[in-house]
Amino acid sequence: GAGVSQSPRYKVAKRGQDVALRCDPISGHVSLFWYQQALGQGPEFLTYFQNEAQLDKSGLPSDRFFAERPEGSVSTLKIQRTQQEDSAVYLCASSLSPGTVGNTIYFGEGSWLTVV
Amino acid sequence: EDKVVQSPLSLVVHEGDTVTLNCSYEVTNFRSLLWYKQEKKAPTFLFMLTSSGIEKKSGRLSSILDKKELFSILNITATQTGDSAVYLCAYNNAGNMLTFGGGTRLMVKP
């Protein structure tokens, strides 16, 4: 596609519910990143994929968070047993090559999660 | 611990004013510093800075990096209401991820 596409754009979940957030990166992009942005804060790194390999998951806040990219394209971020502190915008970003940053990384519009 | 601090947290100006946004950082293995504009949800790239003292310019926006004093500034001259946004500063170290500051929320009033 023309840009990074994320779905759903908005999700309201009841506390304890599982959610799955999808990211379609730009076609051919090798690197894929997930960030979490709480209200009034800057984005915080969650995890990084190079093709299907999850090379860095140091930012995942707990074992309730799980990300996958099984075929090296679409990625899913899953949050189990959601809690109120999980409420945030989840941003996905992709870039063509590993190790390239700046004007070569493209962000999606984000998925806004509200846990009630 | 690596960190990025932006100031001010928020700023309200009138159209035509000039603003200066600040970003200070403490980071090991510095590679580049980046500025993004975030209006709705997706941050959009503005500048990437790797060398001290070289100003990057794009229209009314400009930015410069001081690697000795570990800070960067983003200047916007003749502000317009369309400049209202959150401005994010981020660094990239030797790894692949970006580490962002908390952002500066700019509101430009007519």
Side-chain angles (χ1 to χ4, degrees):
Chain A
V4 179
S5 178
Q6 293 188 245
S7 62
R9 288 295 312 279
Y10 303 94
K11 174 71 177 178
V12 178
K14 290 185 177 179
R15 191 172 55 177
Q17 187 178 355
D18 296 349
V19 299
L21 308 176
R22 176 187 169 106
C23 173
D24 278 272
I26 295 173
S27 179
H29 276 200
V30 169
S31 296
L32 185 145
F33 307 83
W34 284 99
Y35 289 84
Q36 179 192 57
Q37 186 173 21
L39 188 63
Q41 305 291 320
E44 292 191 0
F45 171 79
L46 293 177
T47 188
Y48 162 66
F49 289 87
Q50 184 176 317
N51 293 308
E52 69 278 3
Q54 189 175 20
L55 299 186
D56 189 340
K57 56 181 181 180
S58 61
L60 296 176
S62 77
D63 59 7
R64 296 186 296 105
F65 287 71
F66 172 76
E68 61 182 3
R69 194 186 184 197
E71 297 179 359
S73 177
V74 171
S75 177
T76 303
L77 176 67
K78 298 178 179 177
I79 309 173
Q80 297 177 321
R81 305 181 304 282
T82 51
Q83 317 249 329
Q84 284 190 314
E85 61 262 29
D86 300 335
S87 297
V89 177
Y90 290 85
L91 294 166
C92 179
S94 70
S95 66
L96 182 60
S97 302
T100 54
V101 198
N103 60 352
T104 61
I105 185 167
Y106 299 90
F107 283 87
E109 294 280 310
S111 290
W112 185 284
L113 173 65
T114 302
V115 181
V116 297
Chain B
E1 180 183 333
D2 295 349
K3 63 179 180 181
V4 180
V5 178
Q6 292 187 245
S7 63
L9 292 179
S10 64
L11 193 55
V12 180
V13 300
H14 288 93
E15 276 192 316
D17 289 348
T18 294
V19 297
T20 298
L21 310 183
N22 303 292
C23 174
S24 64
Y25 62 93
E26 295 178 20
V27 58
T28 54
N29 299 317
F30 177 88
R31 183 175 172 185
S32 61
L33 188 131
L34 303 104
W35 284 95
Y36 288 86
K37 179 181 182 182
Q38 187 175 30
E39 291 178 88
K40 293 179 181 179
K41 299 293 187 292
T44 54
F45 172 82
L46 294 176
F47 298 110
M48 182 171 73
L49 304 159
T50 56
S51 301
S52 277
I54 299 175
E55 184 183 54
K56 293 283 184 84
K57 196 169 174 65
S58 176
R60 297 177 293 103
L61 277 67
S62 63
S63 184
I64 198 162
L65 176 68
D66 186 325
K67 291 172 74 173
K68 181 180 178 184
E69 300 298 330
L70 306 182
F71 77 90
S72 174
I73 60 172
L74 175 69
N75 279 319
I76 308 174
T77 59
T79 50
Q80 302 172 359
T81 54
D83 295 327
S84 297
V86 175
Y87 290 84
L88 296 166
C89 172
Y91 77 79
N92 169 235
N93 61 12
N96 290 287
M97 70 177 187
L98 297 174
T99 299
F100 287 88
T104 293
R105 183 175 298 276
L106 174 65
M107 179 180 290
V108 181
K109 292 187 172 181

